[in-house]
Structure formats: C-alpha cells, structure tokens
Amino acid sequence: MTSSTASRSSDLTRQIVVISAVSFMLVAALFGAGVLGGTPVQDVQDGALSATSTVLAPAAQAFSIWSVIYLFMIAYTIWQALPSQRGSDRQRKAGYPIALTAVLNGFWLLAAQYTTLLVTVVTIVALLVALGWTIRILVLNPPRSFAETFFTDVTVGLHLGWVTLATVANVTAWLTAEVAPKSWGDAATAWGIAVIVVVVLIAASSAIGTRGRLAPALASAWGLLWIGIGRFATEPQSTPIAIVAWIAAAIVVIVPLVLWARGRRGELAFARS
C-alpha cells in the first residue's frame, strides 16, 4: 500500500465519527417526525414551518424527499465504513465535512422543537454552507468509481439541492412570522417571484461550480415543483408564483444537462483530434 491509501488509526476514528453523526441525525429525524415523542415539524413554531405558512412553502408531499436523502445517508455511512474505504484519500477529505452536515441536519430538527425560528435560520444557513463546502471538496477530488459517485456525490448533491430550497422556505417563514410588517402580505407574490429568480441563479451557479452535477439540480427542482403545486392547489394560493416555480424547476434541471452535454462534446472533440 502507498502512504495515501494505507489505513491509519485516525481513519477508523473518522469512520466511527461519521456513523455517530448520521445516527444522531436519524434519531433527531424520528423525533422531529413525532415517532419518539416529539412534535411533528409542521406543528412546531405555531405552524410557521408548515406547508401552508408562506407563499414559498412547498406542498407537504415535497418533504418525502427527506426519506430519500436519509436512505442515501445510511447507504453512504455503511459504504464508508467498509475496510476498503478506511484508507481512501477522498474519504479522508470528505468524511468529517459530511459528518458535520449530518450533525447540523439533526440539530436543526431539535432547534425547531425547542428554540426559535431565528435559531433554525442560523442553523440551516450553516448547514447550507457546510454542504457547499463539502461538494466543493468532492469536485476538487473527482470520484474514481461509480460507487464513489453514487454513495458520496449523489448523497451530498441531493442534500445540498434540497437544503437550498429549504433555506429559502425557512428564511421566508421567519421573516413572515417575526420580522415583516403585516403590509408585507400585499406584496408577497412579487417578493415570492423575486426570491424564486434568486434560487434559479443560485442553482445555476451551483451547476457551474459542480461541473454539471445533476443531483443538486434534481432536488432543487423537486422543491420548486412542489412550491408550484402548493400555491396552485392550497392556501396561500398564487397562480403567478406557481407558474414561475414550475418554469424555474425546468430551468434548474436544464442548466446542468446543457453543461454536461457541452462537456461531453468537448471530450469527444478532444478524443478525435
């Protein structure tokens, strides 16, 4: 074995830390779902985080994506714990950042239960930053196998894409409940459309920064799709926001596909030269 792949005692520590962090996140998720005695997230903070609280809250069905993200996190945790991954240089760089995202994810659920909306905003922004940092590490250290892509990059990408939307919804809930004046409601549609445009710009920047990775875009598009459904079918209704959200969802997916196609054509042209 080379020095870059030889297993060290610190590698076992890293694997245990990841297992512990994800276990904490899963217990917090069960608590946040009301399974272990906690209050369901949609009912905490006087309903400020529910699917009908603001014009940018996705419909309730959107949150089923958490089940997918948690399954990927579990799969990643098992995979990274294998002896074959103990000395992985890529896992040495990404393992602790991924563990941090799991801890922040779990802490947000506890913050929603026991603290204030402002604390949830600070926590989810920290989670978004941690996920951005983690995906950057993965981009700078490209995967060498399908397994690395599937278990690590897709997991972090889905988490990042959804938390991007969740951050927007969380901040909007806080502003609506505690900061914005009552008159803000009269301009909610205009502000909602403006924020969706900003989300598209962020998602496009993420696609460029991650070299066309599709997982973040799919998760963000999922959230935008359900924002549109929520505003079309349930209160607070807003057909303009619904239409803009659906258009935004399409753009968010198209951008990385275009980047991937351009990169593919470039590779083919280089191979033929």
Side-chain angles (χ1 to χ4, degrees):
M1 279 188 178
T2 65
S3 59
S4 62
T5 58
S7 179
R8 304 190 292 245
S9 60
S10 59
D11 293 325
L12 179 59
T13 301
R14 182 197 72 244
Q15 290 176 311
I16 293 172
V17 167
V18 171
I19 293 170
S20 301
V22 173
S23 297
F24 165 73
M25 179 191 71
L26 294 174
V27 171
L30 290 173
F31 192 77
V35 175
L36 298 180
T39 302
V41 171
Q42 65 268 21
D43 297 327
V44 301
Q45 303 292 338
D46 296 322
L49 299 171
S50 71
T52 58
S53 59
T54 72
V55 294
L56 292 179
Q61 297 90 329
F63 297 95
S64 62
I65 194 175
W66 277 123
S67 298
V68 177
I69 292 171
Y70 290 147
L71 283 174
F72 268 93
M73 287 291 284
I74 293 170
Y76 165 76
T77 302
I78 295 171
W79 176 77
Q80 67 84 38
L82 296 175
S84 62
Q85 297 305 309
R86 188 164 298 165
S88 167
D89 187 58
R90 197 170 193 246
Q91 292 307 313
R92 285 172 178 166
K93 294 175 179 177
Y96 282 113
I98 293 175
L100 175 61
T101 65
V103 170
L104 288 171
N105 186 311
F107 183 74
W108 183 91
L109 289 159
L110 298 180
Q113 295 275 332
Y114 298 115
T115 64
T116 64
L117 279 173
L118 179 58
V119 175
T120 67
V121 168
V122 173
T123 304
I124 203 166
V125 169
L127 174 56
L128 182 62
V129 171
L131 286 164
W133 172 44
T134 305
I135 202 75
R136 184 60 181 165
I137 291 172
L138 297 178
V139 169
L140 294 176
N141 299 272
R144 297 182 180 180
S145 67
F146 173 79
E148 283 192 348
T149 300
F150 182 81
F151 289 111
T152 306
D153 297 63
V154 174
T155 299
V156 175
L158 290 174
H159 202 174
L160 172 62
W162 175 250
V163 168
T164 300
L165 256 294
T167 301
V168 170
N170 199 162
V171 171
T172 303
W174 169 62
L175 291 174
T176 301
E178 298 183 356
V179 178
K182 296 297 182 182
S183 58
W184 184 84
D186 298 332
T189 295
W191 279 109
I193 291 173
V195 171
I196 290 173
V197 171
V198 172
V199 169
V200 171
L201 294 175
I202 293 173
S205 300
S206 176
I208 295 171
T210 60
R211 299 174 186 173
R213 278 171 167 76
L214 189 58
L218 289 175
S220 293
W222 172 263
L224 287 165
L225 174 68
W226 284 101
I227 286 176
I229 294 173
R231 298 296 66 77
F232 189 78
T234 63
E235 296 294 336
Q237 289 188 329
S238 175
T239 300
I241 286 182
I243 293 172
V244 171
W246 289 331
I247 294 172
I251 294 173
V252 164
V253 173
I254 289 171
V255 170
L257 289 176
V258 170
L259 291 172
W260 177 84
R262 290 180 61 183
R264 185 62 177 167
R265 284 199 300 269
E267 292 175 1
L268 291 174
F270 178 79
R272 292 170 180 170
S273 62

